Amino acid sequence: MSLFWRIFVLDAVGLIVAAALLLGPVTVSTPILPGEVLVVVAGLAALLTVNAVVLRVGLAPLGRLGRAMADADLMRPGARAVVSGPVETAELITTYNAMLDRLEAERAASAAGALSAQERERHRIARELHDEVGQTLTAVLLQLKRVADRAPRDLREELGQAQEATRAGLDEIRRIARRLRPGVLDELGLLSALRSLAGEFTTHGLTVRHDLRTGLPPLTEETELVLYRVAQEALTNTARHSGADRAELRLRPVTDGVELLVQDNGRGLGAAAGEGAGIRGMRERALLIGATLTVSSRADGGGTGGTGGTDIRLRAAAGAGRADAAAPVGGR
């Protein structure tokens, strides 16, 4: 029975009973006797109680819908409100769930287009940095060498410093170009790209160990790129914000797919820190391939082998693509 008819029938019953009492032998004395007051009050209390129960039961699904709407997060798709209650309420919840389905599909399509355009732009900028700026700096470096060979002795030291500065700038441009578009991923595969990434982030203040297993199932190019980008963003967050001195990068096959884990011994996210743009970007990339991203934080510190730091875990399904057959690589 719909919520309308429940309330209507209850009110109709109350009015019919009241009318029957007025037309029947029941009378109210003047002054009112205590027994008559008791009967009227009891009847009114019973009517109000039944009315409250009907409203509580009928409106409970709306309360659950409100909580579901407050907790809805398109970055964590799949959660839906339970369809229950009267016809009108059930139709409202069904419409809300259909709206969530549409919004999630539209967001996934929009994010896919945006990230695809981002990757194309990264590729273009990396190519221009490598082919144009890099070649220009290489020509400048060669010219400085020719000038230094013919320059007076008192100028050679300054020209040598200019050469070193130019060489450092050239190395930085090449590093930026590699991070913008990992050519090693296209040329040598996922495992080699992750090894190179771990080596790149291993600096004087941060040591990145890696444990990359062989026997990975075939992965699509999109899945490999998402795995690489999530690892890159996770290590970037570790290097910039965590205060960690050790991190570990793992990739292993699991049932129906692969699991990527980036773990550090930093200070963790903290209870009130929330998720920044980096983690949101990782979640958006995970949604593109239907992967599951889990971020857990241990705020007490203590190392990759202890209880402190942050774990970023990405589970991706296997798909038609290439399998990386590189040799197994242990921690470094």
Side-chain angles (χ1 to χ4, degrees), residues 5 7-26 43 47:
W5 285 109
I7 298 177
F8 177 80
V9 169
L10 177 63
D11 291 340
V13 169
L15 292 174
I16 291 171
V17 171
L21 291 175
L22 289 176
L23 298 176
V26 177
L47 184 61

Side-chain angles (χ1 to χ4, degrees), residues 22-85:
L22 289 176
L23 298 176
V26 177
T27 60
V28 177
S29 304
T30 303
I32 301 175
L33 299 177
E36 296 172 342
V37 173
L38 181 61
V39 171
V40 172
V41 171
L44 180 61
L47 184 61
L48 292 176
T49 301
V50 174
N51 197 11
V53 170
V54 171
L55 290 176
R56 174 68 68 181
V57 173
L59 297 179
L62 291 179
R64 291 194 294 269
L65 176 61
R67 290 189 293 271
M69 295 174 69
D71 296 337
D73 186 355
L74 295 181
M75 298 300 293
R76 297 175 176 84
R80 295 292 181 269
V82 178
V83 179
S84 62

